[in-house]
């Protein structure tokens, strides 16, 4: 049997096959898309905020891993830490810095007649503290104005003592210059400030003119000197106390040991004592008794000698000189020498080799030598050797730290 041929429908049959093929491909694509969509709906969506934890070994060790942190190339690497010094056995971990204060010593070098020797240099001086040589750090010749307190004994004691005290006070006032600062204090049973520090020479004479009628017979030297030292301790720079007194103390609240300790602990003060009443004392001693000091106050020759010794001690401890004028004409010469000592001094300073701030008293010694360390020979204009003396304070009290 022969197949039936339909030539008229051959072309339409080929077109239907193409259509069927395209339809089949569309169905396959549609099924594949549905499957992919189902897979996308079933797969969990990864969270950006919940990254995987770093490895248990401590995180990345380089620029790899979950977080790669780039290095900042524009900044230098940090400096290595400073090496800590090794600890010393028995010492704490902190350090202590001690600032040793400067010690200043006014020094006068004079002939036996009181003439100032002004040609010395730094190499001519040797300073010792408790016997240990010190290095001089500052050196200068001072001719600066003076700052002084005129402390005058003015009590109802002996007429000769009062007259001598007034003469000495006026003689000192006559030696002052316009740039000098001076205060005037009198004392009997207690100190009385007649004039605070001033540069007015007329005011100084006016204060001395108030000394006309003595009051009490008591002469409390130690109390008055203690009070004066307290007052000048608050004044800057070096100060001088011109002490016009018999040196006899009759009724002070403090004793000699206390005033001596006070003098040793006070810095930058030089005392020049002028003993009054010497001529009257010699006249009474020639008669075999002591000069009366005041009504009802018993006194002996030993008391006056002890007073002289105390005044000498005050001068020696502070680098001053003790004077005992007997006649009125001597006062001008005495104060000429005192002012010469004050205005012409060598200012020497050093930092102690003993750095302890323990409040201890340390003895000082100042020697004058030749630059090579040998003995210094001073000659006058005629070429003769001249004897000289070095005047400086005997010691000082070191500062004390407060814990």
């Amino acid at each position: 049997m022969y197949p039936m041929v339909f030539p008229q429908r051959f072309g339409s049959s080929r077109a239907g096959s193409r259509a069927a093929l395209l339809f089949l491909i569309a169905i396959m694509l549609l099924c594949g898309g549905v499957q992919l969509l189902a897979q996308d709906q079933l797969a969990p969506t990864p969270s950006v905020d919940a990254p995987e934890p770093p490895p248990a070994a401590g995180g990345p060790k380089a620029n790899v891993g979950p977080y790669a942190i780039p290095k900042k190339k524009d900044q230098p690497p940090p400096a290595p830490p400073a090496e800590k010094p090794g600890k010393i056995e028995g010492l704490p971990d902190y350090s202590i810095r001690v600032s040793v204060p400067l010690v200043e010593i006014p020094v006068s070098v004079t002939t036996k007649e009181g003439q100032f020797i002004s040609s010395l240099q730094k190499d001519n001086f040797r300073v010792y503290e408790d016997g240990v040589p010190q290095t001089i750090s500052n050196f200068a010749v001072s001719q600066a104005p003076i700052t002084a307190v005129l402390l005058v004994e003015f009590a109802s004691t002996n007429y000769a003592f009062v007259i001598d005290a007034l003469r000495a006070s006026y003689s000192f006032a006559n030696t002052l210059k316009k740039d000098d600062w001076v205060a005037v204090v009198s004392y009997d049973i207690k100190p009385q400030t007649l004039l605070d520090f001033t540069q007015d020479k007329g005011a100084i004479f006016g204060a001395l003119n108030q000394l006309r009628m003595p009051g009490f017979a008591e002469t409390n030297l130690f109390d008055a000197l203690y009070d004066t030292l307290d007052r000048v301790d608050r004044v800057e720079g070096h100060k001088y106390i011109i002490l016009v007194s018999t040196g006899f103390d009759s009724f002070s609240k403090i004793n000699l040991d206390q005033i001596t300790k006070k003098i040793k602990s006070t810095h930058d003060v030089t005392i020049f004592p002028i003993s009054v009443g010497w001529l009257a004392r010699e006249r009474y001693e020639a008669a075999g008794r002591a000069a009366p000091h005041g009504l009802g106050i018993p006194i002996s020759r030993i008391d006056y000698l002890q007073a002289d010794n105390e005044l000498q001690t005050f001068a020696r401890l502070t680098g001053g000189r003790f004077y005992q004028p007997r006649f009125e004409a001597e006062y001008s010469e005495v104060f000429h020498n005192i002012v010469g000592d004050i205005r012409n001094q060598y200012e020497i300073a050093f930092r102690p080799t003993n750095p302890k701030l323990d409040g201890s008293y340390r003895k000082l010694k100042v020697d004058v030598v030749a630059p090579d360390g040998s003995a210094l020979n001073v000659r006058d204009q005629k070429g003769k050797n001249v004897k000289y003396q070095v005047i400086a304070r005997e010691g000082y009290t070191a500062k004390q730290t407060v814990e």
Side-chain angles (χ1 to χ4, degrees):
M1 195 174 165
Y2 297 99
M4 294 179 66
V5 179
F6 303 93
Q8 297 178 355
R9 294 182 65 109
F10 183 79
S12 59
S13 175
R14 185 176 294 179
S17 299
R18 292 180 179 177
L21 178 61
L22 292 175
F23 178 77
L24 180 62
I25 293 174
I27 294 297
M28 292 177 63
L29 292 175
L30 179 62
C31 292
V34 172
Q35 185 178 2
L36 291 175
L37 179 62
Q39 291 178 355
D40 292 340
Q41 291 177 350
L42 293 177
T45 303
S47 175
V48 178
D49 297 333
E52 294 182 5
K61 297 182 180 179
N63 293 336
V64 294
Y67 300 99
I69 305 176
K71 293 183 179 180
K72 297 181 180 180
K73 297 181 180 180
D74 56 339
Q75 292 184 358
E83 184 179 355
K84 184 178 180 181
K87 183 178 179 181
I88 302 177
E89 187 70 24
L91 291 180
D93 292 335
Y94 53 86
S95 61
I96 300 176
R97 178 179 296 178
V98 179
S99 178
V100 181
L102 197 68
V103 178
E104 298 180 353
I105 316 173
V107 180
S108 293
V109 183
T110 65
T111 64
K112 294 296 183 180
E113 290 76 22
Q115 295 177 345
F116 179 68
I117 301 175
S118 60
S119 58
L120 300 178
Q121 303 297 324
K122 179 180 178 180
D123 294 339
N124 294 121
F125 290 90
R126 300 290 186 272
V127 178
Y128 303 88
E129 179 184 288
D130 291 335
V132 179
Q134 306 294 316
T135 300
I136 297 175
S137 57
N138 297 346
F139 178 84
V141 180
S142 172
Q143 293 183 343
I146 67 175
T147 302
V149 175
L150 178 60
L151 182 58
V152 185
E153 176 188 305
F154 190 75
S156 182
T157 54
N158 189 303
Y159 179 76
F161 298 165
V162 174
I163 293 299
D164 281 355
L166 289 175
R167 287 172 177 169
S169 300
Y170 283 111
S171 297
F172 172 71
N174 282 324
T175 62
L176 299 176
K177 296 183 178 180
K178 63 178 182 178
D179 293 331
D180 296 332
W181 289 92
V182 176
V184 181
V185 180
S186 66
Y187 75 91
D188 45 22
I189 198 172
K190 64 178 181 179
Q192 180 182 359
T193 302
L194 302 178
L195 181 67
D196 205 346
F197 282 104
T198 182
Q199 292 179 305
D200 187 351
K201 196 171 182 178
I204 297 172
F205 281 107
L208 294 177
N209 289 338
Q210 301 178 38
L211 301 177
R212 287 293 177 262
M213 295 295 295
F216 297 94
E218 303 291 350
T219 52
N220 294 352
L221 169 61
F222 299 161
D223 288 349
L225 185 56
Y226 196 103
D227 181 77
T228 303
L229 290 172
D230 262 347
R231 293 177 182 273
V232 300
D233 194 39
R234 298 189 290 266
V235 179
E236 295 183 358
H238 200 90
K239 290 82 59 177
Y240 301 89
I241 296 178
I242 311 302
L243 177 58
V244 180
S245 172
T246 60
F248 179 72
D249 186 286
S250 62
F251 200 62
S252 283
K253 296 178 182 179
I254 63 175
N255 55 33
L256 177 62
D257 290 340
Q258 291 172 314
I259 188 59
T260 302
K261 184 178 180 180
K262 178 67 174 178
I263 291 174
K264 289 182 176 180
S265 62
T266 304
H267 298 274
D268 300 330
V269 174
T270 302
I271 302 175
F272 288 92
I274 295 91
S275 179
V276 297
W278 262 79
L279 184 59
R281 284 172 51 182
E282 289 179 344
R283 289 176 178 173
Y284 276 96
E285 288 177 3
R289 59 193 182 97
H293 191 77
L295 185 62
I297 298 179
I299 193 169
S300 65
R301 296 171 62 185
I302 298 299
D303 293 326
Y304 282 121
L305 293 176
Q306 182 178 353
D308 295 338
N309 185 62
E310 291 168 359
L311 293 179
Q312 288 177 343
T313 301
F314 298 161
R316 187 177 66 252
L317 288 175
T318 59
R321 281 203 280 178
F322 172 57
Y323 294 91
Q324 298 171 317
R326 286 169 171 78
F327 303 101
E328 180 181 356
E330 294 183 48
Y331 287 113
S332 60
E333 181 180 354
V334 165
F335 285 106
H336 176 77
N337 292 337
I338 291 177
V339 173
D341 289 346
I342 294 175
R343 298 192 192 281
N344 301 284
Q345 286 188 332
Y346 296 99
E347 297 290 343
I348 297 176
F350 69 95
R351 296 192 182 276
T353 55
N354 181 2
K356 296 181 179 178
L357 304 179
D358 53 4
S360 62
Y361 185 75
R362 303 175 185 180
K363 291 186 176 181
L364 295 174
K365 183 182 179 183
V366 180
D367 288 339
V368 176
V369 297
D372 60 357
S374 60
L376 178 67
N377 294 322
V378 179
R379 295 181 175 85
D380 59 12
Q381 296 179 351
K382 297 181 180 180
K384 295 182 179 180
N385 287 335
V386 177
K387 293 183 179 180
Y388 59 87
Q389 56 184 348
V390 180
I391 305 170
R393 64 182 304 136
E394 283 192 345
Y396 75 99
T397 300
K399 292 185 178 181
Q400 188 171 8
T401 55
V402 179
E403 298 181 355

